[in-house]
Coordinates of all heavy atoms in Angstrom, one line a residue:
M118 N 146.0 60.9 232.3 CA 145.0 60.0 232.0 C 143.9 60.7 231.1 O 143.3 60.1 230.3 CB 144.3 59.5 233.3 CG 143.2 58.6 233.1 SD 142.7 57.8 234.6 CE 141.0 58.0 234.5
S119 N 143.7 61.9 231.3 CA 142.7 62.6 230.6 C 143.1 62.7 229.1 O 142.2 62.7 228.2 CB 142.5 64.0 231.1 OG 142.2 65.0 230.2
R120 N 144.4 62.8 228.8 CA 144.8 62.8 227.4 C 144.5 61.5 226.7 O 144.1 61.5 225.5 CB 146.3 63.1 227.4 CG 146.7 64.0 226.2 CD 148.2 64.2 226.2 NE 148.6 65.0 227.3 CZ 149.9 65.1 227.6 NH1 150.8 64.5 226.9 NH2 150.3 65.9 228.6
N121 N 144.7 60.4 227.3 CA 144.4 59.1 226.7 C 142.9 59.0 226.5 O 142.4 58.4 225.5 CB 144.9 58.0 227.6 CG 145.0 56.7 226.8 OD1 144.9 56.7 225.6 ND2 145.3 55.6 227.5
R122 N 142.0 59.4 227.4 CA 140.6 59.4 227.2 C 140.2 60.3 226.1 O 139.3 59.9 225.3 CB 139.9 59.9 228.5 CG 139.2 58.8 229.2 CD 138.5 59.3 230.4 NE 137.1 59.6 230.1 CZ 136.3 60.2 230.9 NH1 136.7 60.6 232.1 NH2 135.1 60.3 230.6
T123 N 140.8 61.4 225.9 CA 140.4 62.3 224.8 C 140.8 61.7 223.5 O 140.1 61.8 222.5 CB 141.2 63.7 225.0 OG1 140.8 64.2 226.3 CG2 140.8 64.6 223.9
A124 N 142.0 61.0 223.5 CA 142.4 60.4 222.2 C 141.5 59.2 221.9 O 141.2 59.0 220.7 CB 143.9 59.8 222.4
K125 N 141.0 58.5 222.8 CA 140.0 57.5 222.5 C 138.8 58.0 221.9 O 138.2 57.5 221.0 CB 139.6 56.7 223.8 CG 140.7 55.8 224.3 CD 140.1 55.1 225.6 CE 141.1 54.2 226.2 NZ 140.5 53.4 227.3
G126 N 138.3 59.2 222.4 CA 137.1 59.8 221.8 C 137.3 60.3 220.4 O 136.5 60.3 219.6
I127 N 138.6 60.8 220.2 CA 138.9 61.4 218.9 C 138.9 60.2 217.9 O 138.6 60.4 216.7 CB 140.2 62.1 218.9 CG1 140.0 63.4 219.7 CG2 140.8 62.4 217.6 CD1 141.3 64.2 220.0
V128 N 139.3 59.1 218.3 CA 139.3 57.9 217.4 C 137.9 57.3 217.2 O 137.5 57.0 216.1 CB 140.3 56.8 217.9 CG1 140.1 55.5 217.1 CG2 141.7 57.3 217.8
L129 N 137.2 57.3 218.3 CA 135.9 56.6 218.3 C 134.8 57.3 217.4 O 134.2 56.7 216.6 CB 135.3 56.5 219.7 CG 133.9 55.9 219.9 CD1 133.9 54.4 219.5 CD2 133.4 56.1 221.3
V130 N 134.7 58.6 217.6 CA 133.6 59.4 217.0 C 133.8 59.3 215.4 O 132.8 59.0 214.7 CB 133.5 60.8 217.5 CG1 132.6 61.6 216.7 CG2 133.1 60.8 219.0
P131 N 134.9 59.7 214.9 CA 135.0 59.6 213.4 C 134.8 58.2 212.8 O 134.2 58.0 211.8 CB 136.4 60.2 213.0 CG 136.8 60.9 214.2 CD 136.1 60.3 215.4
C132 N 135.4 57.2 213.6 CA 135.2 55.8 213.1 C 133.8 55.4 213.1 O 133.3 54.8 212.1 CB 136.0 54.9 214.0 SG 137.8 54.9 213.6
L133 N 133.0 55.8 214.1 CA 131.6 55.4 214.1 C 130.8 56.1 213.1 O 129.9 55.6 212.4 CB 131.0 55.6 215.5 CG 131.5 54.7 216.6 CD1 130.8 55.0 217.9 CD2 131.2 53.2 216.2
L134 N 131.1 57.4 212.9 CA 130.4 58.2 211.9 C 130.7 57.7 210.4 O 129.8 57.5 209.6 CB 130.7 59.7 212.0 CG 130.1 60.4 213.2 CD1 130.7 61.8 213.3 CD2 128.6 60.3 213.2
L135 N 132.0 57.5 210.1 CA 132.3 57.0 208.8 C 131.9 55.6 208.6 O 131.4 55.2 207.5 CB 133.8 57.1 208.6 CG 134.4 58.5 208.3 CD1 135.9 58.5 208.3 CD2 133.9 59.0 207.0
G136 N 132.0 54.8 209.6 CA 131.5 53.4 209.5 C 130.0 53.3 209.3 O 129.6 52.6 208.4
G137 N 129.3 54.2 210.0 CA 127.8 54.2 209.7 C 127.5 54.7 208.3 O 126.6 54.2 207.7
A138 N 128.3 55.7 207.8 CA 128.1 56.1 206.5 C 128.3 55.0 205.4 O 127.5 54.9 204.5 CB 128.9 57.3 206.2
F139 N 129.4 54.3 205.6 CA 129.7 53.2 204.7 C 128.6 52.1 204.8 O 128.3 51.5 203.8 CB 131.1 52.6 204.9 CG 132.1 53.4 204.2 CD1 132.9 54.3 204.9 CD2 132.4 53.2 202.9 CE1 133.9 55.0 204.2 CE2 133.3 53.9 202.2 CZ 134.1 54.8 202.9
L140 N 128.2 51.8 206.1 CA 127.1 50.8 206.2 C 125.8 51.2 205.6 O 125.1 50.3 205.0 CB 126.9 50.4 207.7 CG 128.1 49.7 208.4 CD1 127.8 49.5 209.9 CD2 128.3 48.3 207.7
S141 N 125.5 52.4 205.7 CA 124.3 52.9 205.0 C 124.4 52.9 203.5 O 123.5 52.6 202.8 CB 123.8 54.3 205.5 OG 124.8 55.2 205.2
A142 N 125.6 53.2 203.0 CA 125.9 53.1 201.6 C 125.8 51.6 201.1 O 125.3 51.4 200.0 CB 127.3 53.7 201.2
A143 N 126.2 50.7 202.0 CA 126.0 49.3 201.6 C 124.6 48.9 201.6 O 124.2 48.1 200.7 CB 126.8 48.4 202.6
A144 N 123.8 49.5 202.5 CA 122.4 49.1 202.5 C 121.6 49.7 201.4 O 120.7 49.0 200.8 CB 121.8 49.5 203.8
W145 N 121.9 50.9 201.0 CA 121.1 51.6 200.0 C 121.8 51.9 198.7 O 121.3 52.5 197.8 CB 120.5 52.9 200.5 CG 119.5 52.7 201.6 CD1 118.2 52.2 201.4 CD2 119.6 52.9 203.0 NE1 117.6 52.1 202.6 CE2 118.4 52.5 203.6 CE3 120.6 53.4 203.8 CZ2 118.2 52.7 205.0 CZ3 120.4 53.6 205.1 CH2 119.2 53.2 205.7
G146 N 123.1 51.5 198.6 CA 123.8 51.8 197.4 C 123.7 50.8 196.3 O 122.8 49.9 196.3
E147 N 124.6 51.0 195.3 CA 124.6 50.1 194.2 C 125.0 48.7 194.6 O 125.8 48.5 195.5 CB 125.5 50.6 193.1 CG 125.0 51.9 192.5 CD 126.0 52.4 191.5 OE1 126.8 51.6 191.0 OE2 125.9 53.6 191.1
Q148 N 124.5 47.7 193.9 CA 124.9 46.3 194.2 C 126.3 46.0 194.0 O 126.9 45.2 194.7 CB 124.0 45.4 193.3 CG 123.9 44.0 193.8 CD 123.0 43.9 195.1 OE1 123.2 44.6 196.0 NE2 122.2 42.9 195.1
S149 N 127.0 46.6 193.0 CA 128.4 46.3 192.7 C 129.3 46.7 193.8 O 130.4 46.1 194.0 CB 128.8 47.0 191.4 OG 128.7 48.4 191.5
N150 N 129.0 47.7 194.6 CA 129.9 48.2 195.6 C 129.5 47.8 197.0 O 130.1 48.3 198.0 CB 130.0 49.8 195.6 CG 130.7 50.2 194.3 OD1 131.5 49.5 193.7 ND2 130.3 51.4 193.8
Q151 N 128.5 47.0 197.1 CA 127.9 46.7 198.4 C 128.8 45.9 199.3 O 129.0 46.3 200.5 CB 126.6 45.9 198.2 CG 125.8 45.7 199.5 CD 124.5 44.9 199.2 OE1 124.4 44.3 198.2 NE2 123.6 45.1 200.1
G152 N 129.6 45.0 198.8 CA 130.5 44.2 199.6 C 131.6 45.0 200.1 O 132.0 44.9 201.3
L153 N 132.2 45.9 199.3 CA 133.3 46.7 199.7 C 132.8 47.7 200.7 O 133.5 47.9 201.7 CB 133.8 47.5 198.5 CG 135.0 48.5 198.7 CD1 136.2 47.7 199.3 CD2 135.3 49.2 197.5
A154 N 131.7 48.4 200.6 CA 131.2 49.3 201.5 C 130.9 48.6 202.9 O 131.2 49.2 203.9 CB 129.9 50.0 201.0
L155 N 130.4 47.4 202.8 CA 130.1 46.7 204.0 C 131.4 46.3 204.8 O 131.5 46.5 206.0 CB 129.4 45.4 203.7 CG 128.8 44.6 204.8 CD1 127.8 45.4 205.6 CD2 128.2 43.3 204.3
M156 N 132.4 45.9 204.1 CA 133.7 45.6 204.7 C 134.4 46.8 205.3 O 134.9 46.8 206.5 CB 134.6 44.9 203.7 CG 134.3 43.5 203.4 SD 135.4 42.6 202.4 CE 136.5 43.8 201.6
I157 N 134.4 47.9 204.6 CA 135.0 49.2 205.1 C 134.2 49.7 206.3 O 134.8 50.1 207.3 CB 135.0 50.2 204.0 CG1 136.0 49.8 203.0 CG2 135.4 51.6 204.6 CD1 136.1 50.7 201.7
G158 N 132.8 49.6 206.3 CA 132.0 50.1 207.4 C 132.2 49.3 208.6 O 132.4 49.8 209.7
L159 N 132.2 48.0 208.5 CA 132.4 47.1 209.6 C 133.8 47.3 210.2 O 134.0 47.2 211.4 CB 132.1 45.6 209.3 CG 130.7 45.3 209.1 CD1 130.5 43.8 208.6 CD2 129.9 45.5 210.3
G160 N 134.8 47.4 209.3 CA 136.2 47.6 209.8 C 136.3 48.9 210.6 O 137.0 48.9 211.6
L161 N 135.7 50.0 210.1 CA 135.8 51.3 210.8 C 135.1 51.2 212.2 O 135.6 51.7 213.2 CB 135.2 52.4 210.0 CG 136.1 52.9 208.9 CD1 135.3 53.8 207.9 CD2 137.3 53.7 209.5
V162 N 133.9 50.6 212.2 CA 133.2 50.5 213.5 C 133.9 49.6 214.4 O 134.1 49.9 215.6 CB 131.7 50.0 213.2 CG1 131.1 49.6 214.5 CG2 130.9 51.0 212.5
G163 N 134.5 48.5 213.9 CA 135.3 47.7 214.8 C 136.5 48.3 215.3 O 136.9 48.2 216.5
A164 N 137.2 49.1 214.5 CA 138.4 49.8 214.9 C 138.1 50.9 216.0 O 138.8 51.0 217.0 CB 139.1 50.5 213.7
G165 N 137.0 51.5 215.8 CA 136.6 52.5 216.8 C 136.2 51.9 218.1 O 136.6 52.4 219.2
L166 N 135.6 50.8 218.1 CA 135.2 50.1 219.3 C 136.4 49.4 220.0 O 136.6 49.4 221.2 CB 134.1 49.1 219.1 CG 132.8 49.7 218.7 CD1 131.8 48.5 218.4 CD2 132.2 50.6 219.8
L167 N 137.3 48.9 219.2 CA 138.5 48.3 219.7 C 139.5 49.4 220.4 O 140.2 49.1 221.3 CB 139.3 47.5 218.7 CG 138.7 46.2 218.3 CD1 139.5 45.6 217.2 CD2 138.7 45.2 219.5
A168 N 139.4 50.6 219.9 CA 140.2 51.6 220.5 C 139.8 51.9 221.9 O 140.6 52.4 222.7 CB 140.1 52.9 219.6
Q169 N 138.6 51.6 222.3 CA 138.1 51.8 223.6 C 138.8 50.9 224.6 O 138.7 51.1 225.8 CB 136.6 51.7 223.7 CG 135.9 52.8 222.9 CD 136.3 54.2 223.2 OE1 136.2 54.6 224.3 NE2 136.9 54.9 222.2
F170 N 139.4 49.8 224.1 CA 140.0 48.8 225.0 C 141.4 49.1 225.3 O 142.1 48.2 225.9 CB 139.8 47.4 224.4 CG 138.3 47.0 224.4 CD1 137.7 46.7 223.3 CD2 137.7 46.8 225.6 CE1 136.4 46.3 223.3 CE2 136.3 46.4 225.6 CZ 135.7 46.2 224.5
I171 N 142.0 50.2 224.8 CA 143.4 50.5 225.1 C 143.5 50.8 226.6 O 142.7 51.6 227.1 CB 143.8 51.8 224.3 CG1 143.8 51.5 222.8 CG2 145.2 52.3 224.7 CD1 144.0 52.7 221.9
P172 N 144.4 50.1 227.2 CA 144.5 50.3 228.7 C 144.9 51.7 229.1 O 145.7 52.3 228.4 CB 145.5 49.3 229.1 CG 146.3 48.9 227.9 CD 145.4 49.2 226.7
T173 N 144.3 52.2 230.1 CA 144.7 53.5 230.7 C 145.4 53.3 232.0 O 145.0 52.5 232.8 CB 143.5 54.4 230.9 OG1 142.6 53.7 231.7 CG2 142.8 54.7 229.6
P174 N 146.5 54.1 232.2 CA 147.2 53.9 233.5 C 146.3 54.5 234.6 O 145.5 55.3 234.4 CB 148.4 54.8 233.3 CG 148.1 55.7 232.2 CD 147.1 55.0 231.4
P175 N 146.5 53.9 235.8 CA 145.7 54.4 237.0 C 146.1 55.9 237.3 O 147.2 56.3 237.0 CB 146.1 53.5 238.1 CG 147.4 52.9 237.7 CD 147.4 52.9 236.2
P176 N 145.2 56.7 237.8 CA 145.4 58.0 238.1 C 146.6 58.2 239.2 O 146.7 57.4 240.1 CB 144.1 58.6 238.7 CG 143.3 57.4 239.1 CD 143.8 56.3 238.2
E177 N 147.4 59.2 239.0 CA 148.5 59.4 239.9 C 148.0 60.1 241.2 O 147.1 61.0 241.1 CB 149.5 60.3 239.2 CG 150.2 59.7 238.0 CD 151.1 60.7 237.3 OE1 151.3 61.8 237.9 OE2 151.6 60.3 236.3
K178 N 148.5 59.6 242.3 CA 148.1 60.2 243.6 C 149.2 61.2 244.0 O 150.3 60.9 243.9 CB 147.9 59.1 244.6 CG 146.8 58.2 244.3 CD 146.5 57.2 245.4 CE 145.4 56.3 245.0 NZ 145.1 55.3 246.1
D179 N 148.7 62.3 244.5 CA 149.6 63.3 245.1 C 150.1 62.9 246.5 O 149.3 62.5 247.3 CB 148.9 64.7 245.1 CG 148.6 65.2 243.8 OD1 149.3 64.8 242.8 OD2 147.7 66.0 243.7
E180 N 151.4 63.0 246.7 CA 151.9 62.7 248.0 C 152.1 64.0 248.7 O 153.2 64.6 248.6 CB 153.2 61.9 247.9 CG 153.1 60.5 247.3 CD 154.4 59.8 247.2 OE1 155.3 60.1 248.0 OE2 154.5 58.9 246.3
A181 N 151.1 64.4 249.4 CA 151.2 65.7 250.2 C 151.4 65.5 251.6 O 151.2 64.6 252.3 CB 150.0 66.5 249.9

């Protein structure tokens, strides 16, 4: 279970950071690239957040 949680974090953090960078570029960048930067930024943030909904199996119980 810990491996799946780690993988979710590995996906979430870069997606949010890159998505934020693209969204800020859309806010303060040139007008010609604003739509593209906005779409890429929202796509990355959405993908990072959707990765958190990947189901995780229940923890295994030891039969001792």
Side-chain angles (χ1 to χ4, degrees):
M118 179 168 134
S119 148
R120 216 181 292 166
N121 200 8
R122 249 180 99 187
T123 304
K125 285 182 181 183
I127 290 172
V128 169
L129 176 68
V130 172
C132 281
L133 289 181
L134 289 174
L135 283 172
F139 275 102
L140 290 175
S141 65
W145 291 291
E147 295 179 17
Q148 197 72 312
S149 62
N150 295 330
Q151 189 175 20
L153 178 63
L155 186 64
M156 286 188 339
I157 292 173
L159 289 175
L161 282 167
V162 170
L166 293 176
L167 283 176
Q169 298 305 302
F170 293 114
I171 296 173
T173 56
E177 297 176 5
K178 294 185 179 181
D179 294 333
E180 295 182 24

